[in-house]
Amino acid sequence: MPRPALYSSSRPARRPAQDSAASGGAPQAPAGDHDAPAPVAPATSAVATTSLSKRHVRVLWTLIALLAALLVYSLWLHQRPGPRRITQDDIDAAVLRTLETTTPPSAAARAANAIAPSVVRVVGYGRSKNGKQEVERGVGTGVVIVDKGIILTNLHVVAGSDRITVTFHDGLETTASITGAQPENDLAVLQAHKVPDDLEAAPLRSTQDLRAGDHVVAVGFPFGIGPSASAGVVSGLKREFTSPEGQRQLSNLIQFDAAANPGNSGGPLITLDGEVVGIVTAILNPTPARTFIGIGFAVPIENAASAVGMPPF
């Protein structure tokens, strides 16, 4: 008699795919599967982690290379020799080289350049004999002693003129009026009707310490040409002069040998510092040629200053 078959009390677990297909619904998790192990992460996570690590390594090596380059550059800078310190010998050599290769202006040139902005050309005009036209009656020089346009010149340059013009250093030409005169010193004071914005007054210097042999420069417009400068020395002091016509007799004059000619009248006689010590007024000329023979005269600036009411030095 055959033995009956023995069946296990537990059912075999069905495949999810089969159960789903059989039932037509969603797969059911088998009972007792709560303790099943978690599914393994996909392989793409490991690949991403590996790629990220490689990128970090590249950045790290780049930083290391940059730091190494900076270190090498710093060491190179420290090894460079610093600028050489300038010594007194270097300064002396530079000065000597400059003196050997450059010709500085003379003392007379520096003095003339210093006074130039204050020197003006003065022209007096009158009527011709028939009275129909205006003609030049005198050409001379003037020097600005107050920056408001007050100018000193010789009286004989402007005396009897119907119209007076002055031309400044910058080329400005304007008319002027006589505001004062000192015939005993052949001086006239002019007031320009227009003045440059940057007009400079000439510095004045007392003649008390002036001595024969001191260097001086005469600046003016000889024969209307200029401004011109000529250098010389003081030949003497307290000289007297009488004009060839006997119409003028001047005293207490500065005698000098810097070249002066008609047109220099009224111009400044200056020291090598560019300071006015006199106003050129005449030349000694025993011949009719009216040319310079080496003796000129200037009114001391003390007399000239008193002509415009300025206090003496």
Side-chain angles (χ1 to χ4, degrees):
M1 182 171 183
R3 297 176 62 180
L6 299 177
Y7 297 94
S8 171
S9 60
S10 61
R11 290 174 164 181
R14 290 184 300 177
R15 295 179 188 177
Q18 292 175 350
D19 293 344
S20 175
S23 63
Q28 299 293 324
D33 286 350
H34 298 289
D35 297 331
V40 179
T44 55
S45 298
V47 173
T49 303
T50 304
S51 301
L52 185 61
S53 300
K54 288 181 179 180
R55 185 162 57 249
H56 287 173
V57 169
R58 285 197 298 269
V59 172
L60 182 60
W61 277 109
T62 301
L63 291 176
I64 292 174
L66 179 60
L67 291 175
L70 291 175
L71 178 61
V72 171
Y73 180 68
S74 177
L75 292 174
W76 177 73
L77 287 179
H78 284 290
Q79 291 176 355
R80 290 180 62 188
R84 191 173 67 85
R85 187 175 181 181
I86 298 177
T87 65
Q88 186 61 45
D89 291 339
D90 296 330
I91 297 174
D92 294 341
V95 172
L96 181 60
R97 184 165 55 253
T98 301
L99 292 176
E100 290 175 347
T101 58
T102 305
T103 302
S106 66
R110 292 194 300 269
N113 185 65
I115 198 67
S118 305
V119 179
V120 300
R121 186 174 186 263
V122 180
V123 181
Y125 293 94
R127 288 291 172 180
S128 61
K129 292 182 179 181
N130 58 17
K132 293 183 179 181
Q133 59 182 356
E134 189 178 62
V135 295
E136 287 186 2
R137 298 193 56 167
V139 179
T141 308
V143 58
V144 178
I145 60 171
V146 180
D147 59 8
K148 294 180 180 180
I150 298 178
I151 300 167
L152 272 177
T153 188
N154 279 155
L155 181 59
H156 75 263
V157 173
V158 295
S161 297
D162 298 323
R163 188 170 70 94
I164 301 169
T165 64
V166 295
T167 304
F168 291 96
H169 180 67
D170 66 351
L172 173 65
E173 181 177 334
T174 182
T175 55
S177 302
I178 300 176
T179 59
Q182 198 177 73
E184 65 274 19
N185 288 310
D186 190 27
L187 292 172
V189 182
L190 305 180
Q191 174 63 64
H193 297 160
K194 293 181 182 180
V195 297
D197 294 335
D198 56 350
L199 182 61
E200 297 180 20
L204 311 181
R205 174 177 170 178
S206 171
T207 60
Q208 290 182 359
D209 59 348
L210 199 63
R211 298 289 182 270
D214 287 347
H215 291 273
V216 289
V217 179
V219 181
F221 292 84
F223 298 104
I225 302 171
S228 302
S230 58
V233 298
V234 173
S235 302
L237 301 168
K238 300 185 182 300
R239 298 294 196 246
E240 294 184 354
F241 171 78
T242 302
S243 64
E245 300 84 6
Q247 298 177 353
R248 290 186 300 153
Q249 185 169 356
L250 307 174
S251 59
N252 191 33
L253 300 175
I254 303 169
Q255 179 187 338
F256 62 91
D257 70 352
N261 287 284
N264 276 106
S265 296
L269 183 71
I270 62 176
T271 65
L272 295 185
D273 294 326
E275 298 172 325
V276 182
V277 290
I279 300 297
V280 177
T281 189
I283 57 175
L284 182 62
N285 191 346
T287 70
R290 298 182 65 202
T291 55
F292 184 66
I293 62 172
I295 299 178
F297 298 103
V299 178
I301 196 59
E302 288 87 347
N303 297 37
S306 67
V308 293
M310 297 178 64
F313 296 97

